[in-house]
Amino acid sequence: MKRAALAVLLLAAALRLAGLDWGLPHTYNADEPHIVNSAVSLGPSFFRPVSFKYPTLWPTLLSFAYGLWFLVWSVLGLRKGVVDFIALYAFEPTSFYLIARALALLASLGALLLVARAESDRDPKRWPWGALALCFSPVLVEISATAKPDSLMLLLVSAAWLCALRFQAGAKRGWLFGAAVCSGLAASTQYTAAPAALVVPLAALLRRGGPASRGEAALALALVPAAFLIGTPYAVVDAGRFLADWGDHLDLARLRPLDAAAMAETVARNAWNFGGEGAPYGAAALLGLAVLLKKDARRAVMLLVPILAYFVLLSRSTDGGWARYLFGAYPALALLASEGLALLGGKSVLRRGVVAAAFAAPALLLSARWARAVRLPDTRVAAEAWIEAEIPEGDTVLLDMAHASPRVLMSVEQVRDLAERTERAGSPRARLYRAMEARHPGGGRRVLRVQRTARDLFTLPGHAAKSQAEGDFLDVRPGLDPARAARVGWVVTSSYGADPRKARELATFFSELAEGSDLVKEFPVEPGLTAGPWLRVHRLKR
């Protein structure tokens, strides 16, 4: 049994490792650059965040990791200086992303072990069915290969569930306090962990042998926000900006109308498919709930209530359809599925093996397909090489967002202009541009990006405005005239980028682009051969 469990864990680790260097040194994920930028900028600002789009525990941990990396990379600062380190991040950021992704991968694997431990607490002889459900869950496999905070949040939420269930089963009060601290730290990693903090009052109320004392419950509840502030202290120190950024989140909710019924269906589907589409773990969780309601109603209620809380809250959010926003409920879903699968598996080793294979196979297949896809040649890499060879240095190129486009080196003149502009605005990004100017390798092109609305990008309006103010973006809503006025010679469009069918304000630009340019190169997506967006390079007619 131990050997089989180790083999499954190693397979889960191998799937996650397959995507660890995916795309690098490109940044193919829209959220990763913001996270890593935040972490890199924390050190010089005494850990004061530039934005509260995310809480700051994860960027703070990354900042410490990057500090250690600087000491190793620079030989304790004797061989190279801080400017060289910033330039390394600007021009060759691979090591920074690998460090973040490796920590996320370890956190993801740690969460599996904590769920398995919670199952063994329930029954030492039980197979770790719930952990198996999470091992090959495609959304967990994919997210563990990114620099996002969700894997650390899952680890901390799993720890909170483990502590809370132990206290609910009758263990000492220290486990209740541990659940509170882990819940607060999880919310300080990702705001979407907040509903999982319900495990604290639930464990206090549903404890076997009688509820916790009022003093114990009050202290545990106080520890949740205290732990949150340990990870995000500037939420109090800089409360005005924290509240303003949360207002930005509310503005995001107003960008799209909410179809509550459709969103509820999406959230329910995400919960049902927590172990992967086609893997019937949702059915196993329902069966497990029925088993628990009969055998241990207190534990059943404790597992069910946070899941329902997530369902209600996400169903009322225009942004609630992302599967990763449900991660705080994944340990509870896995533990419910464990009860159902333990019943289905029975005591026969052969029967258990058949059940495990039948349930795990669909998710394993999907995760294996993803692992293969991220090893395929990417169109953005091919486009970068073509641009470097075919577009003259100094020409002006119009691109879409960085994650949707090939990487193009900015000329030193453009970097200098950006440094001066951001310095005048008092932006900390000026430090990055100055380092790029000082260590520029030479060559490059003038890089502009299509200015897109927050509604089109479906991102925080204030954050989008600030990001675009710190770069060179071009408003092309009137059509090609602004591009010609900016001396744009080349336009690279991306199937991952602006779409005139969705962003109607850009319809004129795309219509005039088709008439006023020559399509000189395409980088198509060929199933099984290439990955990435479909890219088209246009040369504007004179």
Side-chain angles (χ1 to χ4, degrees), residues 429-476:
R429 199 165 184 80
R431 185 182 179 92
L432 173 65
Y433 289 134
R434 284 303 183 196
M436 292 174 66
E437 179 188 2
R439 299 293 186 268
H440 197 281
R445 292 150 187 86
R446 182 166 172 251
V447 179
L448 305 180
R449 298 195 182 276
V450 174
Q451 182 174 309
R452 296 169 62 187
T453 64
R455 182 186 296 275
D456 179 22
L457 296 169
F458 199 58
T459 190
L460 305 184
H463 176 74
K466 186 175 182 179
S467 297
Q468 292 180 1
E470 294 175 344
D472 279 331
F473 286 78
L474 187 64
D475 184 358
V476 294

Short mmCIF file of all heavy atoms in Angstrom, two decimals, residues 429-476:
data_model
loop_
_atom_site.label_atom_id
_atom_site.label_comp_id
_atom_site.label_asym_id
_atom_site.label_seq_id
_atom_site.Cartn_x
_atom_site.Cartn_y
_atom_site.Cartn_z
N ARG A 429 8.25 51.49 -10.81
CA ARG A 429 8.69 50.79 -12.02
C ARG A 429 9.87 51.49 -12.68
O ARG A 429 10.59 50.89 -13.50
CB ARG A 429 7.53 50.67 -13.00
CG ARG A 429 7.73 49.60 -14.04
CD ARG A 429 6.43 49.27 -14.75
NE ARG A 429 6.59 48.18 -15.70
CZ ARG A 429 6.62 46.89 -15.41
NH1 ARG A 429 6.49 46.51 -14.15
NH2 ARG A 429 6.78 45.96 -16.33
N ALA A 430 10.09 52.75 -12.32
CA ALA A 430 11.24 53.48 -12.87
C ALA A 430 12.55 52.77 -12.55
O ALA A 430 13.50 52.80 -13.34
CB ALA A 430 11.26 54.90 -12.33
N ARG A 431 12.60 52.13 -11.39
CA ARG A 431 13.81 51.41 -10.99
C ARG A 431 14.13 50.29 -11.98
O ARG A 431 15.29 50.06 -12.34
CB ARG A 431 13.61 50.85 -9.58
CG ARG A 431 14.82 50.17 -8.97
CD ARG A 431 14.45 49.63 -7.60
NE ARG A 431 15.55 48.94 -6.96
CZ ARG A 431 16.43 49.51 -6.14
NH1 ARG A 431 16.33 50.79 -5.88
NH2 ARG A 431 17.40 48.81 -5.60
N LEU A 432 13.08 49.60 -12.45
CA LEU A 432 13.26 48.53 -13.43
C LEU A 432 13.77 49.11 -14.75
O LEU A 432 14.72 48.59 -15.35
CB LEU A 432 11.94 47.80 -13.64
CG LEU A 432 11.91 46.76 -14.77
CD1 LEU A 432 12.85 45.61 -14.47
CD2 LEU A 432 10.48 46.26 -14.99
N TYR A 433 13.15 50.18 -15.21
CA TYR A 433 13.56 50.77 -16.49
C TYR A 433 14.98 51.31 -16.43
O TYR A 433 15.72 51.22 -17.42
CB TYR A 433 12.58 51.87 -16.89
CG TYR A 433 11.21 51.36 -17.31
CD1 TYR A 433 10.05 51.96 -16.83
CD2 TYR A 433 11.09 50.30 -18.20
CE1 TYR A 433 8.79 51.50 -17.22
CE2 TYR A 433 9.84 49.83 -18.59
CZ TYR A 433 8.70 50.44 -18.09
OH TYR A 433 7.46 49.98 -18.48
N ARG A 434 15.38 51.89 -15.31
CA ARG A 434 16.75 52.40 -15.19
C ARG A 434 17.76 51.26 -15.26
O ARG A 434 18.84 51.40 -15.87
CB ARG A 434 16.91 53.19 -13.89
CG ARG A 434 16.30 54.57 -13.92
CD ARG A 434 16.87 55.42 -15.04
NE ARG A 434 16.35 56.79 -15.04
CZ ARG A 434 16.44 57.62 -16.07
NH1 ARG A 434 17.04 57.23 -17.19
NH2 ARG A 434 15.95 58.83 -15.99
N ALA A 435 17.45 50.14 -14.64
CA ALA A 435 18.35 48.99 -14.71
C ALA A 435 18.42 48.44 -16.13
O ALA A 435 19.49 48.05 -16.61
CB ALA A 435 17.88 47.90 -13.74
N MET A 436 17.28 48.43 -16.82
CA MET A 436 17.27 47.98 -18.21
C MET A 436 18.10 48.91 -19.09
O MET A 436 18.83 48.45 -19.98
CB MET A 436 15.83 47.92 -18.73
CG MET A 436 14.97 46.85 -18.09
SD MET A 436 13.22 46.95 -18.61
CE MET A 436 13.36 46.55 -20.35
N GLU A 437 18.01 50.21 -18.83
CA GLU A 437 18.80 51.17 -19.59
C GLU A 437 20.30 50.95 -19.36
O GLU A 437 21.11 50.98 -20.29
CB GLU A 437 18.40 52.59 -19.20
CG GLU A 437 19.19 53.67 -19.92
CD GLU A 437 18.91 55.05 -19.36
OE1 GLU A 437 18.13 55.18 -18.39
OE2 GLU A 437 19.50 56.02 -19.90
N ALA A 438 20.65 50.72 -18.09
CA ALA A 438 22.07 50.57 -17.74
C ALA A 438 22.69 49.30 -18.30
O ALA A 438 23.88 49.26 -18.60
CB ALA A 438 22.23 50.60 -16.22
N ARG A 439 21.91 48.25 -18.43
CA ARG A 439 22.45 46.96 -18.86
C ARG A 439 21.84 46.48 -20.18
O ARG A 439 21.79 45.30 -20.46
CB ARG A 439 22.18 45.90 -17.77
CG ARG A 439 22.83 46.20 -16.43
CD ARG A 439 24.35 46.14 -16.51
NE ARG A 439 24.95 46.31 -15.19
CZ ARG A 439 25.33 47.47 -14.68
NH1 ARG A 439 25.16 48.59 -15.41
NH2 ARG A 439 25.86 47.55 -13.47
N HIS A 440 21.38 47.42 -20.98
CA HIS A 440 20.72 47.05 -22.24
C HIS A 440 21.72 46.36 -23.17
O HIS A 440 22.85 46.83 -23.36
CB HIS A 440 20.16 48.30 -22.93
CG HIS A 440 19.14 48.01 -23.98
ND1 HIS A 440 19.48 47.59 -25.25
CD2 HIS A 440 17.78 48.06 -23.95
CE1 HIS A 440 18.38 47.40 -25.96
NE2 HIS A 440 17.33 47.68 -25.21
N PRO A 441 21.32 45.21 -23.79
CA PRO A 441 22.27 44.48 -24.64
C PRO A 441 22.46 45.09 -26.02
O PRO A 441 23.32 44.63 -26.78
CB PRO A 441 21.60 43.10 -24.75
CG PRO A 441 20.14 43.38 -24.60
CD PRO A 441 20.05 44.51 -23.62
N GLY A 442 21.69 46.12 -26.35
CA GLY A 442 21.80 46.74 -27.68
C GLY A 442 20.74 46.23 -28.63
O GLY A 442 20.16 45.16 -28.44
N GLY A 443 20.48 47.01 -29.66
CA GLY A 443 19.47 46.62 -30.63
C GLY A 443 18.07 46.86 -30.10
O GLY A 443 17.84 47.73 -29.26
N GLY A 444 17.14 46.09 -30.60
CA GLY A 444 15.76 46.21 -30.14
C GLY A 444 14.90 47.03 -31.09
O GLY A 444 15.36 47.61 -32.07
N ARG A 445 13.62 47.09 -30.75
CA ARG A 445 12.63 47.79 -31.55
C ARG A 445 11.74 48.63 -30.64
O ARG A 445 11.72 48.44 -29.44
CB ARG A 445 11.80 46.79 -32.36
CG ARG A 445 12.62 46.08 -33.43
CD ARG A 445 12.14 44.69 -33.74
NE ARG A 445 13.09 44.03 -34.65
CZ ARG A 445 14.18 43.38 -34.25
NH1 ARG A 445 14.47 43.29 -32.97
NH2 ARG A 445 14.99 42.81 -35.14
N ARG A 446 11.02 49.55 -31.25
CA ARG A 446 10.06 50.33 -30.47
C ARG A 446 8.78 49.49 -30.36
O ARG A 446 8.17 49.14 -31.37
CB ARG A 446 9.78 51.66 -31.15
CG ARG A 446 8.82 52.56 -30.38
CD ARG A 446 8.87 53.96 -30.93
NE ARG A 446 7.85 54.82 -30.35
CZ ARG A 446 6.78 55.26 -31.02
NH1 ARG A 446 6.62 54.92 -32.30
NH2 ARG A 446 5.89 56.02 -30.43
N VAL A 447 8.38 49.17 -29.14
CA VAL A 447 7.28 48.25 -28.90
C VAL A 447 6.09 49.02 -28.33
O VAL A 447 6.20 49.65 -27.26
CB VAL A 447 7.68 47.12 -27.92
CG1 VAL A 447 6.50 46.20 -27.66
CG2 VAL A 447 8.86 46.34 -28.48
N LEU A 448 4.98 48.99 -29.04
CA LEU A 448 3.72 49.54 -28.55
C LEU A 448 2.74 48.39 -28.36
O LEU A 448 2.86 47.34 -29.00
CB LEU A 448 3.14 50.55 -29.54
CG LEU A 448 4.04 51.72 -29.94
CD1 LEU A 448 3.31 52.62 -30.93
CD2 LEU A 448 4.48 52.52 -28.72
N ARG A 449 1.76 48.61 -27.48
CA ARG A 449 0.75 47.58 -27.25
C ARG A 449 -0.64 48.17 -27.43
O ARG A 449 -0.88 49.35 -27.13
CB ARG A 449 0.89 46.98 -25.85
CG ARG A 449 2.22 46.27 -25.66
CD ARG A 449 2.26 45.36 -24.46
NE ARG A 449 3.58 44.75 -24.32
CZ ARG A 449 3.98 43.65 -24.97
NH1 ARG A 449 3.14 43.04 -25.79
NH2 ARG A 449 5.19 43.17 -24.79
N VAL A 450 -1.54 47.34 -27.92
CA VAL A 450 -2.92 47.78 -28.14
C VAL A 450 -3.56 48.10 -26.79
O VAL A 450 -3.56 47.26 -25.88
CB VAL A 450 -3.74 46.68 -28.86
CG1 VAL A 450 -5.21 47.09 -28.94
CG2 VAL A 450 -3.17 46.42 -30.24
N GLN A 451 -4.07 49.30 -26.66
CA GLN A 451 -4.75 49.68 -25.42
C GLN A 451 -6.13 49.04 -25.40
O GLN A 451 -6.95 49.25 -26.28
CB GLN A 451 -4.88 51.20 -25.32
CG GLN A 451 -5.52 51.68 -24.03
CD GLN A 451 -5.48 53.18 -23.92
OE1 GLN A 451 -4.43 53.80 -24.08
NE2 GLN A 451 -6.63 53.78 -23.66
N ARG A 452 -6.38 48.25 -24.37
CA ARG A 452 -7.66 47.56 -24.24
C ARG A 452 -8.35 47.97 -22.95
O ARG A 452 -7.69 48.33 -21.96
CB ARG A 452 -7.43 46.04 -24.29
CG ARG A 452 -6.86 45.57 -25.63
CD ARG A 452 -6.39 44.14 -25.59
NE ARG A 452 -7.49 43.22 -25.29
CZ ARG A 452 -7.31 41.91 -25.07
NH1 ARG A 452 -6.09 41.40 -25.14
NH2 ARG A 452 -8.33 41.14 -24.81
N THR A 453 -9.64 47.91 -22.95
CA THR A 453 -10.40 48.35 -21.78
C THR A 453 -10.40 47.26 -20.71
O THR A 453 -10.16 46.08 -20.99
CB THR A 453 -11.85 48.66 -22.17
OG1 THR A 453 -12.49 47.45 -22.61
CG2 THR A 453 -11.91 49.70 -23.29
N ALA A 454 -10.68 47.70 -19.48
CA ALA A 454 -10.79 46.74 -18.38
C ALA A 454 -11.94 45.76 -18.63
O ALA A 454 -11.85 44.59 -18.26
CB ALA A 454 -11.01 47.49 -17.07
N ARG A 455 -13.00 46.23 -19.30
CA ARG A 455 -14.11 45.34 -19.61
C ARG A 455 -13.67 44.24 -20.57
O ARG A 455 -14.03 43.07 -20.42
CB ARG A 455 -15.26 46.14 -20.22
CG ARG A 455 -16.50 45.31 -20.54
CD ARG A 455 -17.54 46.15 -21.27
NE ARG A 455 -18.03 47.22 -20.42
CZ ARG A 455 -19.01 47.10 -19.53
NH1 ARG A 455 -19.61 45.93 -19.39
NH2 ARG A 455 -19.39 48.12 -18.82
N ASP A 456 -12.88 44.62 -21.57
CA ASP A 456 -12.39 43.65 -22.54
C ASP A 456 -11.46 42.65 -21.87
O ASP A 456 -11.55 41.44 -22.09
CB ASP A 456 -11.67 44.39 -23.67
CG ASP A 456 -11.10 43.47 -24.72
OD1 ASP A 456 -11.57 42.33 -24.83
OD2 ASP A 456 -10.18 43.89 -25.45
N LEU A 457 -10.56 43.14 -21.05
CA LEU A 457 -9.61 42.27 -20.36
C LEU A 457 -10.24 41.57 -19.16
O LEU A 457 -9.68 40.60 -18.64
CB LEU A 457 -8.41 43.09 -19.87
CG LEU A 457 -7.54 43.73 -20.95
CD1 LEU A 457 -6.58 44.73 -20.34
CD2 LEU A 457 -6.78 42.66 -21.73
N PHE A 458 -11.37 42.07 -18.70
CA PHE A 458 -12.04 41.65 -17.47
C PHE A 458 -11.04 41.59 -16.31
O PHE A 458 -10.78 40.56 -15.71
CB PHE A 458 -12.76 40.32 -17.63
CG PHE A 458 -13.81 40.10 -16.57
CD1 PHE A 458 -14.84 41.00 -16.41
CD2 PHE A 458 -13.74 39.03 -15.71
CE1 PHE A 458 -15.80 40.83 -15.41
CE2 PHE A 458 -14.69 38.84 -14.71
CZ PHE A 458 -15.73 39.75 -14.57
N THR A 459 -10.49 42.77 -16.05
CA THR A 459 -9.55 42.92 -14.96
C THR A 459 -9.90 44.17 -14.18
O THR A 459 -10.78 44.95 -14.58
CB THR A 459 -8.11 43.01 -15.50
OG1 THR A 459 -7.19 42.94 -14.40
CG2 THR A 459 -7.87 44.33 -16.25
N LEU A 460 -9.25 44.39 -13.05
CA LEU A 460 -9.56 45.52 -12.20
C LEU A 460 -9.34 46.82 -12.96
O LEU A 460 -8.23 47.05 -13.49
CB LEU A 460 -8.69 45.51 -10.95
CG LEU A 460 -8.72 44.24 -10.09
CD1 LEU A 460 -7.87 44.42 -8.85
CD2 LEU A 460 -10.14 43.86 -9.71
N PRO A 461 -10.34 47.70 -13.05
CA PRO A 461 -10.18 48.93 -13.84
C PRO A 461 -9.03 49.80 -13.38
O PRO A 461 -8.25 50.30 -14.21
CB PRO A 461 -11.53 49.63 -13.65
CG PRO A 461 -12.49 48.54 -13.33
CD PRO A 461 -11.71 47.54 -12.54
N GLY A 462 -8.90 50.01 -12.08
CA GLY A 462 -7.80 50.83 -11.58
C GLY A 462 -6.45 50.22 -11.86
O GLY A 462 -5.49 50.92 -12.22
N HIS A 463 -6.36 48.91 -11.70
CA HIS A 463 -5.09 48.21 -11.96
C HIS A 463 -4.73 48.31 -13.44
O HIS A 463 -3.56 48.55 -13.78
CB HIS A 463 -5.22 46.75 -11.54
CG HIS A 463 -4.01 45.92 -11.83
ND1 HIS A 463 -2.85 46.01 -11.11
CD2 HIS A 463 -3.78 44.99 -12.80
CE1 HIS A 463 -1.96 45.17 -11.59
NE2 HIS A 463 -2.50 44.54 -12.62
N ALA A 464 -5.72 48.14 -14.33
CA ALA A 464 -5.45 48.24 -15.77
C ALA A 464 -4.97 49.63 -16.15
O ALA A 464 -4.01 49.79 -16.92
CB ALA A 464 -6.71 47.88 -16.56
N ALA A 465 -5.62 50.67 -15.59
CA ALA A 465 -5.23 52.04 -15.91
C ALA A 465 -3.81 52.33 -15.45
O ALA A 465 -3.01 52.95 -16.17
CB ALA A 465 -6.20 53.02 -15.26
N LYS A 466 -3.46 51.85 -14.26
CA LYS A 466 -2.12 52.09 -13.74
C LYS A 466 -1.06 51.35 -14.56
O LYS A 466 0.00 51.91 -14.87
CB LYS A 466 -2.05 51.65 -12.28
CG LYS A 466 -0.74 51.98 -11.60
CD LYS A 466 -0.78 51.62 -10.12
CE LYS A 466 0.52 52.01 -9.43
NZ LYS A 466 0.49 51.68 -7.98
N SER A 467 -1.34 50.12 -14.91
CA SER A 467 -0.38 49.33 -15.70
C SER A 467 -0.15 49.97 -17.06
O SER A 467 0.99 50.05 -17.54
CB SER A 467 -0.90 47.90 -15.87
OG SER A 467 -1.01 47.25 -14.63
N GLN A 468 -1.22 50.44 -17.69
CA GLN A 468 -1.07 51.03 -19.01
C GLN A 468 -0.38 52.38 -18.95
O GLN A 468 0.32 52.77 -19.89
CB GLN A 468 -2.45 51.14 -19.68
CG GLN A 468 -3.03 49.78 -20.02
CD GLN A 468 -4.40 49.86 -20.67
OE1 GLN A 468 -4.93 50.93 -20.91
NE2 GLN A 468 -4.98 48.70 -20.96
N ALA A 469 -0.52 53.08 -17.82
CA ALA A 469 0.16 54.37 -17.67
C ALA A 469 1.67 54.19 -17.54
O ALA A 469 2.44 55.12 -17.81
CB ALA A 469 -0.38 55.11 -16.46
N GLU A 470 2.12 52.98 -17.15
CA GLU A 470 3.54 52.73 -16.94
C GLU A 470 4.20 52.06 -18.14
O GLU A 470 5.33 51.61 -18.06
CB GLU A 470 3.73 51.87 -15.69
CG GLU A 470 3.31 52.59 -14.41
CD GLU A 470 3.38 51.69 -13.20
OE1 GLU A 470 3.46 50.45 -13.38
OE2 GLU A 470 3.35 52.20 -12.07
N GLY A 471 3.48 51.97 -19.26
CA GLY A 471 4.03 51.39 -20.48
C GLY A 471 3.62 52.21 -21.69
O GLY A 471 3.02 53.28 -21.56
N ASP A 472 3.94 51.73 -22.86
CA ASP A 472 3.58 52.42 -24.11
C ASP A 472 2.41 51.68 -24.75
O ASP A 472 2.60 50.64 -25.41
CB ASP A 472 4.78 52.46 -25.06
CG ASP A 472 5.73 53.60 -24.71
OD1 ASP A 472 5.25 54.61 -24.17
OD2 ASP A 472 6.94 53.48 -24.98
N PHE A 473 1.21 52.22 -24.55
CA PHE A 473 0.00 51.64 -25.12
C PHE A 473 -0.59 52.62 -26.12
O PHE A 473 -0.47 53.84 -25.97
CB PHE A 473 -1.03 51.33 -24.02
CG PHE A 473 -0.67 50.13 -23.19
CD1 PHE A 473 0.29 50.23 -22.18
CD2 PHE A 473 -1.28 48.91 -23.42
CE1 PHE A 473 0.63 49.12 -21.42
CE2 PHE A 473 -0.94 47.80 -22.66
CZ PHE A 473 0.02 47.91 -21.66
N LEU A 474 -1.22 52.09 -27.15
CA LEU A 474 -1.75 52.91 -28.24
C LEU A 474 -3.26 52.69 -28.34
O LEU A 474 -3.72 51.54 -28.46
CB LEU A 474 -1.06 52.54 -29.56
CG LEU A 474 -1.39 53.41 -30.76
CD1 LEU A 474 -0.91 54.85 -30.54
CD2 LEU A 474 -0.75 52.82 -32.02
N ASP A 475 -4.02 53.78 -28.30
CA ASP A 475 -5.47 53.73 -28.45
C ASP A 475 -5.79 53.67 -29.93
O ASP A 475 -5.66 54.66 -30.66
CB ASP A 475 -6.10 54.96 -27.80
CG ASP A 475 -7.63 54.92 -27.84
OD1 ASP A 475 -8.19 53.95 -28.41
OD2 ASP A 475 -8.27 55.85 -27.30
N VAL A 476 -6.21 52.50 -30.41
CA VAL A 476 -6.47 52.32 -31.85
C VAL A 476 -7.97 52.20 -32.13
O VAL A 476 -8.36 51.73 -33.20
CB VAL A 476 -5.73 51.07 -32.39
CG1 VAL A 476 -4.23 51.28 -32.33
CG2 VAL A 476 -6.13 49.82 -31.62
#
